[in-house]
Amino acid sequence: MEREPEMEVTLREFAEADTEALFSWASDPRVVRFQRREAYSRVDEARRYILDHVLPHPWYRAICVGSVVVGSISIKPGPAEEGGSRRRSPSSTRASLGYRLAHGYWGRGIATRAVRMAAEAAFAEWPWLARLEAVADGENPASQRVLEKAGFVREGVLRRYLVLKGRPRDMVMFSSVDTDRRNKPVEAHGL
Amino acid sequence: MEEQGAPAAGTPEPEPERAEKVVTLRPFDLADADDVITWASDPVVTASMPWASGPCPTRESLLAFLRDGDSAPPHPWVRAVCLGSVSGGGGAVVGAVAVTPTDDWCRAEIGVVLARARWSVGLAAAAMRRAVAEVFVDGGAPRGGTLEGVERVEAVVEARGGGGDASRRALEEAGFRREAVLRSYRAVEGQLRDMAIYSFISTDPLLLH
């Protein structure tokens, strides 16, 4: 089945020129509802975010439908529970994934495709990666479905795990592991 | 946890007296150095101890830890595990329990270390029961304390296999809930392992008896 060109989902690196696009979803309370950050109210906040956080990030991509930037997806190497450092510890074998999509593009499988593509890219680019994990808020079934449809395995509910908007939240933990993708025994990972 | 010991031999007592062991927690003190040093240099124990920056703590680093205790990052909450008798005061320091906040202020990790000769599931469970009871006194971590805002205490242990069996049983006996198996979570001795994550949250019932 041929997919129409304007519906093709691709990932590419961000540029400062994507400021307006990022602001469009980062200022939308529906999109940021299950994120740590409050909604942006000024375009300059989005521009600073791209310059200070996105461009130096180890892996941060714009989700495009055709040529339109409709969301973002990022993967942070290192344990999910340790924030701050952008440099992973030498012994780390994990990375954590997160994504955001403009509200007008929900419900079309775009996020699912983006998560699949990002996971493939991470395992291809990082030979040290054994486990890619993602958490979805316990009250966000749509995001849980995205991760399941993208081939992640639901592992369980971690109670009062993260603070979002100042409140501890129950989070559902999902993972995609090297052995899921390659059908290789763990011992062959070569640590 | 209370264990029953053998009754004292010798002159019969008007009432039978049972020697009971009681587990209590308290902050470390410089005077604990002699008790602690007898087991603290055991490499199996030392590996996860707050004062361990190398395989063998020096007396100086140990004393510095005992003196600075809770104020020294990254261990803002540490307690000595004491095993004594009901009537006879605190008793010997047989280990330590630490609750360490993560980057998320609602979440902290618990660790227990006990002198190898004393290690038992019951003792480890008792230390953790008392630790969460102290952290969640009055239903939440006290305001102004080093664990302010903590609503979740967690532990990550090997999901299966003999090596983690005692730890898993101790967590369960202490009232922690096993939430998930995190696949390929951590490398142990060069092999990727599945790890089980356990938690005790501020609204869980405290199991003190």
Side-chain angles (χ1 to χ4, degrees):
Chain A
M1 181 188 80
E2 287 281 319
R3 200 175 291 281
E4 295 177 24
E6 60 267 26
M7 283 303 295
E8 188 190 3
V9 175
T10 56
L11 306 181
R12 65 153 171 81
E13 294 196 10
F14 266 91
E16 192 179 344
D18 297 317
T19 291
E20 293 274 354
L22 191 145
F23 180 74
S24 73
W25 69 75
S27 59
D28 187 338
R30 295 168 299 186
V31 175
V32 304
R33 180 180 167 204
F34 291 116
Q35 289 174 21
R36 295 179 191 271
R37 237 184 323 277
E38 298 288 350
Y40 288 158
S41 52
R42 296 186 337 267
V43 174
D44 196 57
E45 294 177 278
R47 192 178 71 86
R48 285 254 57 92
Y49 183 75
I50 290 178
L51 293 175
D52 299 342
H53 185 83
V54 174
L55 294 183
H57 195 281
W59 205 96
Y60 209 115
R61 298 288 182 270
I63 302 173
C64 300
V65 174
S67 58
V68 180
V69 178
V70 300
S72 70
I73 186 161
S74 55
I75 303 177
K76 182 159 62 175
E81 66 268 24
E82 288 175 21
S85 170
R86 293 205 188 96
R87 202 165 285 109
R88 71 173 188 98
S89 72
S91 59
S92 178
T93 55
R94 310 203 290 270
S96 60
L97 174 150
Y99 67 91
R100 311 99 218 148
L101 196 64
H103 187 261
Y105 290 86
W106 290 10
R108 300 194 216 167
I110 294 168
T112 301
R113 270 175 279 173
V115 170
R116 272 195 194 282
M117 292 164 66
E120 287 232 17
F123 279 103
E125 289 176 30
W126 295 333
W128 50 264
L129 184 63
R131 171 186 173 87
L132 182 59
E133 58 188 28
V135 290
D137 195 284
E139 292 180 4
N140 190 353
S143 192
Q144 295 169 37
R145 273 196 303 275
V146 165
L147 293 167
E148 279 165 350
K149 288 191 289 183
F152 280 59
V153 172
R154 179 190 172 110
E155 293 175 331
V157 176
L158 308 185
R159 304 174 299 160
R160 313 279 176 93
Y161 194 65
L162 292 181
V163 177
L164 296 185
K165 307 265 189 325
R167 290 173 54 218
R169 305 291 299 171
D170 294 352
M171 303 299 287
V172 185
M173 174 67 83
F174 290 82
S175 75
S176 177
V177 300
D178 194 29
T179 51
D180 286 345
R181 320 184 68 82
R182 302 190 191 195
N183 274 324
K184 228 194 255 182
V186 167
E187 288 72 26
H189 195 87
L191 279 171
Chain B
M1 183 199 78
E2 297 177 4
E3 291 173 357
Q4 296 199 10
T11 318
E13 305 282 344
E15 289 171 0
E17 196 171 307
R18 292 177 297 169
E20 291 184 338
K21 298 268 175 66
V22 175
V23 175
T24 53
L25 304 182
R26 60 163 173 77
F28 273 99
D29 187 86
L30 270 177
D32 294 327
D34 289 339
D35 271 353
V36 172
I37 212 132
T38 62
W39 49 264
S41 49
D42 180 342
V44 171
V45 166
T46 290
S48 51
M49 281 312 292
W51 54 73
S53 53
C56 212
T58 62
R59 193 178 180 85
E60 288 68 37
S61 67
L62 191 55
L63 289 174
F65 163 77
L66 295 176
R67 183 181 56 240
D68 298 332
D70 284 13
S71 63
H75 293 277
W77 195 99
V78 184
R79 295 290 181 271
V81 178
C82 303
L83 192 60
S85 62
V86 160
S87 50
V93 177
V94 297
V97 57
V99 175
T100 310
T102 63
D103 283 342
D104 276 281
W105 52 252
C106 67
R107 187 166 100 237
E109 186 165 7
I110 190 166
V112 178
V113 172
L114 300 170
R116 213 178 339 180
R118 307 280 206 159
W119 212 100
S120 72
V121 169
L123 182 54
M128 288 194 285
R129 267 202 299 275
R130 274 155 181 73
V132 294
E134 194 174 322
V135 169
F136 293 141
V137 65
D138 300 330
R143 277 197 189 288
T146 52
L147 297 180
E148 179 172 359
V150 169
E151 295 188 17
R152 170 188 177 87
V153 174
E154 67 180 22
V156 173
V157 297
E158 287 189 53
R160 64 191 67 82
D165 180 62
S167 298
R168 292 191 296 273
R169 287 192 288 129
L171 285 163
E172 283 153 20
E173 198 173 302
F176 281 66
R177 185 187 301 186
R178 178 169 165 138
E179 293 170 325
V181 171
L182 308 178
R183 302 174 308 148
S184 300
Y185 196 69
R186 195 174 281 169
V188 175
E189 293 166 358
Q191 291 281 320
L192 281 170
R193 298 283 169 87
D194 295 348
M195 307 295 281
I197 186 164
Y198 288 80
S199 75
F200 195 107
I201 64 172
S202 58
T203 51
D204 284 344
L206 297 171
L207 296 182
L208 291 176
H209 47 262

